[in-house]
Every structure is written in structure tokens, then in C-alpha cells.
Amino acid sequence: MNINDVILKTVSKAVVLIILTFGIYLFVSGHNQPGGGFIGGLVIASAFVLMFLSYDSETVSEALPIDFKKLSALGVLLAMMSGVAPMFFGGAFLSQSFGYFDLPIFGKTELATVTIFEAGIALTVIGVVVNIILSISEDE
């Protein structure tokens, strides 16, 4: 990287935080509003891509010791298991359930099993997108 990349590195730190916050918001609000695991995963992956563009791959890999191939495999496993789990309780494949719980800080909150499926989708999308970007950057 050039010495003149100071502005890019400084601004990207703040922008990555904003992008990650927005991606988590899209993920969490996904089962009641537009959003969910796919679009939340894309937005979160774009934050990782911005970090890889602002800094070199080695620096980001040292700071974030995440194997994105394993992350995408974990996401597929999580999404698949959330679909198979209802079959053990007499339900159909991918049937979902929800309930209302009193949480200490949030009060009465709806928790749904679709969030587990959406988390698997988000992890898969993050892993695949970052793997594609890293494989393209290694070819140069």
C-alpha cells in the first residue's frame, strides 16, 4: 500500500462499523420486514471486502483469523440442520415455530426458529462472497 492511503484506511474504519451495524440490522429485522440472512450477509460481506481493499490481505487475515471456507460450510450445515430438526418432532421439513418470551432488557420479544435458518444463510453468503473476492485477488 502507498503512504497516501492514510485517508482510505482512516475512513474505512468508520465505514466498516456503519456497514456492519446496518448488516446486522437487516439480518435481525428480516423475519418481520424486508431483509434477512441473504441481504444481511451480502452487506456484512461488503464490509469484509472493504477491509480487504483498504488493507492488504495478510494484515486483515492476521487481525481476523477466520477461515471463510469453513464459515460457509458452517452456514450450510446450520441452515440444513434447522430444516431437518422439525422432522424429529413430527413436523415437516423446514417448518418453523415461534414464541413470545420476556427478556430482561427487551421485554416481551418474539423469538422464531427462522432466525437460525437465516443465520445459516448469512454465514454461507459471507463465506462465499469473501472467498470469491480473495480468490480473484490471489490470481493477480
Side-chain angles (χ1 to χ4, degrees), residues 17-30 36 39-41 43-44:
L17 179 65
I18 293 168
I19 292 172
L20 287 174
T21 305
F22 183 59
I24 291 170
Y25 168 76
L26 285 173
F27 170 74
V28 171
S29 68
I39 190 65
V43 171
I44 292 170

Side-chain angles (χ1 to χ4, degrees), residues 13-121:
K13 290 177 186 177
V15 172
V16 163
L17 179 65
I18 293 168
I19 292 172
L20 287 174
T21 305
F22 183 59
I24 291 170
Y25 168 76
L26 285 173
F27 170 74
V28 171
S29 68
H31 68 279
N32 287 330
Q33 300 171 8
F38 186 79
I39 190 65
L42 282 176
V43 171
I44 292 170
S46 69
F48 286 121
V49 170
L50 179 61
M51 286 193 305
F52 280 110
L53 289 174
S54 300
Y55 301 91
D56 54 358
S57 298
E58 292 80 23
T59 304
V60 177
S61 297
E62 288 175 9
L64 280 168
I66 299 172
D67 185 3
F68 289 101
K69 291 178 185 173
K70 290 181 182 176
L71 186 70
S72 59
L74 175 68
V76 170
L77 180 67
L78 188 63
M80 188 67 185
M81 292 309 295
S82 72
V84 171
M87 294 173 64
F88 293 114
F89 301 104
F93 179 71
L94 278 178
S95 62
Q96 305 294 325
S97 62
F98 67 94
Y100 292 96
F101 300 95
D102 286 324
L103 299 178
I105 295 174
F106 300 108
K108 187 175 181 181
T109 306
E110 176 190 8
L111 296 176
T113 58
V114 71
T115 308
I116 299 169
F117 177 76
E118 293 289 340
I121 298 298

